[in-house]
């Protein structure tokens, strides 16, 4: 039997684009949907998921009490996703164990809070991202996009005696490695203006490391973070601990736009970051950020590395004032 599909619109979904064959992707119109914010997940759980799981597990609506603070903890420490599938599974687990307690102990109401959540879900699987607020030399905080949302990314740089070698560790992808090489060339071309010994490449090897080496990392958006960390290590100037950044860098020090701004900003907010450096061309993306999140953040939009370093690196006076 034949079917006329000429007027049919096919809609498909995917978590990542790189897994879609190029000839097929070329014939598609791609609509990108960002993941839910933490507060959105809390509201989805409170309004829909809990009642759904209560019904599926044979519990009365009033027999289980879960506070919003508890749901926050479930999201932060037991799930790692852009959507809410795993969150619903965790709520289902709580409901099943509650149903068992109702039957065995003849309790009419089960109260789940942050203190007893581990009895229902076990030991937390994840630790909430929290930025190291200390001002350090050679350590910069970047922002990364992943399939499950945004994350903060610490980039460490150390200099050792050598002959200009660049060592990259932390399971970095090719694009990220190229970004580091581009950044180093930019620094060499501007060494004098940056207050760095112009012959540093003949005296030192530079080691760039991104912790959590078992997790693959790639993309150009760590460019300005890598450059900032290297400049800090070579100049001895500390980097402000409450600043995070993201952006691609060119050989001439221009800062280019990146993707995943909403997810990255939310990650910075969760980690307690106060100032976020973004490419100027990403200023329009700030409209997607929830108002309550934007209120506690200072956004700095930049076009070049000079502007980045002016914000991120501490002057001698700033260093003294922070120490006092």
């Amino acid at each position: 039997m034949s079917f006329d599909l000429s007027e049919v619109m096919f809609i498909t979904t995917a978590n990542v684009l790189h897994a879609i064959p190029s000839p097929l992707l070329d014939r598609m119109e791609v609509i990108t949907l960002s993941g839910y914010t933490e507060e959105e997940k809390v509201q989805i759980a409170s309004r829909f998921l809990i009642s759904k799981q209560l019904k599926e597990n044979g519990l009365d609506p009033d027999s289980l009490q879960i506070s919003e603070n508890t749901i926050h903890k479930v999201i932060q420490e037991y799930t790692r996703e852009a959507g809410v599938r795993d969150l619903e599974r965790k709520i289902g687990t709580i409901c099943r164990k509650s149903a068992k307690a109702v039957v065995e102990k003849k309790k009419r109401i089960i109260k789940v809070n942050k203190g007893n959540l581990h009895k229902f879900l076990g030991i937390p699987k994840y630790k909430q991202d929290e930025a190291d607020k200390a001002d350090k030399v050679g350590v910069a905080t970047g922002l990364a996009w992943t399939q499950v949302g945004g994350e903060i990314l610490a980039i460490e740089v150390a200099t050792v005696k050598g002959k200009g070698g660049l060592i990259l560790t932390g399971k970095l992808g090719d694009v990220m490695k190229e970004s580091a090489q581009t950044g180093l060339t930019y620094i060499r071309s501007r060494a004098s203006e940056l207050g760095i010994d112009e012959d540093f490449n003949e005296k030192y090897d530079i080691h760039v490391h991104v912790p959590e080496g078992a997790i693959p990392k790639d993309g150009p958006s760590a460019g300005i973070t890598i450059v900032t960390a290297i400049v800090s290590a070579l100049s001895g100037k500390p980097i402000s601990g409450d600043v995070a950044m993201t952006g691609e860098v060119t050989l001439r020090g221009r800062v280019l736009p990146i993707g995943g701004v909403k997810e990255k900003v939310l990650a910075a907010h969760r980690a307690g970051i106060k100032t976020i450096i973004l490419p100027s061309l990403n200023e329009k993306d700030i409209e997607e950020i929830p108002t309550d999140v934007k209120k506690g953040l200072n956004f700095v939009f930049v076009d070049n590395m000079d502007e980045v370093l002016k914000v991120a690196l501490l002057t001698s006076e700033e260093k003294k004032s922070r120490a006092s």
Side-chain angles (χ1 to χ4, degrees):
M1 183 179 294
S2 61
F3 295 92
D4 180 9
L5 302 178
S6 61
E7 300 297 325
V8 175
M9 177 181 290
F10 292 93
I11 300 176
T12 64
T13 63
N15 291 327
V16 292
L17 290 178
H18 66 75
I20 302 175
S22 297
L24 180 60
L25 183 60
D26 187 53
R27 290 164 173 78
M28 291 180 166
E29 178 183 356
V30 179
I31 301 174
T32 303
L33 301 177
S34 60
Y36 295 121
T37 66
E38 185 172 315
E39 190 56 41
E40 287 171 341
K41 291 181 182 180
V42 171
Q43 294 304 317
I44 291 171
S46 300
R47 299 182 188 186
F48 305 105
L49 300 183
I50 292 176
S51 58
K52 177 183 175 183
Q53 287 300 316
L54 285 172
K55 183 177 180 181
E56 290 187 1
N57 289 279
L59 287 168
D60 294 330
D62 298 328
S63 61
L64 179 63
Q65 296 180 3
I66 307 177
S67 67
E68 287 195 358
N69 286 336
T70 305
I71 298 173
H72 275 289
K73 188 176 178 69
V74 175
I75 294 168
Q76 294 167 358
E77 300 184 4
Y78 292 90
T79 67
R80 188 64 63 90
E81 59 181 344
V84 293
R85 290 177 183 172
D86 200 26
L87 175 59
E88 182 174 4
R89 282 192 284 267
K90 293 295 185 290
I91 292 172
T93 299
I94 293 172
C95 288
R96 285 188 291 276
K97 291 190 176 181
S98 298
K100 182 180 178 182
V102 169
V103 173
E104 292 182 348
K105 301 179 182 180
K106 297 183 179 180
K107 292 184 176 181
R108 295 185 60 186
I109 300 176
I110 303 295
K111 296 182 180 181
V112 183
N113 53 49
K114 294 172 69 174
N116 64 9
L117 182 61
H118 65 281
K119 295 181 180 180
F120 295 84
L121 297 179
I123 299 173
K125 295 172 61 178
Y126 308 103
K127 186 174 76 171
Q128 186 178 7
D129 288 337
E130 188 170 337
D132 186 348
K133 305 299 192 314
D135 306 326
K136 296 181 180 179
V137 173
V139 181
T141 301
L143 299 171
W145 179 91
T146 71
Q147 296 179 29
V148 296
E151 292 183 354
I152 61 172
L153 197 68
I155 294 181
E156 304 173 345
V157 172
T159 58
V160 294
K161 289 184 178 181
K163 298 181 179 180
L166 178 61
I167 305 166
L168 303 169
T169 56
K171 205 168 185 180
L172 310 185
D174 290 339
V175 176
M176 198 166 181
K177 290 178 181 178
E178 291 175 357
S179 187
Q181 292 166 345
T182 299
L184 181 59
T185 300
Y186 161 75
I187 293 170
R188 290 180 61 185
S189 70
R190 295 285 313 282
S192 178
E193 292 92 332
L194 295 173
I196 296 171
D197 183 353
E198 294 186 31
D199 299 325
F200 75 85
N201 62 302
E202 298 177 2
K203 302 176 182 178
Y204 303 105
D205 288 340
I206 296 174
H207 189 159
V208 179
H209 178 65
V210 185
E212 298 188 41
I215 301 174
K217 310 165 191 77
D218 204 3
S221 64
I224 67 171
T225 316
I226 294 173
V227 172
T228 301
I230 294 176
V231 171
S232 171
L234 290 171
S235 66
K237 296 179 180 178
I239 300 170
S240 176
D242 59 5
V243 172
M245 63 195 77
T246 179
E248 181 179 354
V249 68
T250 72
L251 281 173
R252 297 181 181 274
R254 289 179 57 221
V255 178
L256 302 183
I258 42 75
V261 171
K262 178 182 177 181
E263 289 81 3
K264 292 175 180 179
V265 170
L266 291 174
H269 181 259
R270 287 196 304 270
I273 294 293
K274 299 301 181 184
T275 299
I276 300 177
I277 302 174
L278 294 170
S280 291
L281 291 175
N282 284 118
E283 187 170 0
K284 63 184 186 302
D285 298 314
I286 298 302
E287 296 178 3
E288 301 179 9
I289 311 300
T291 303
D292 61 323
V293 173
K294 287 190 287 188
K295 285 181 180 177
L297 296 172
N298 173 36
F299 293 99
V300 179
F301 300 100
V302 298
D303 293 304
N304 56 66
M305 276 305 306
D306 288 340
E307 296 172 331
V308 175
L309 297 175
K310 185 177 180 180
V311 175
L313 297 182
L314 298 177
T315 63
S316 300
E317 292 75 16
E318 290 173 327
K319 185 179 178 181
K320 288 179 182 178
S321 65
R322 287 184 180 232
S324 59

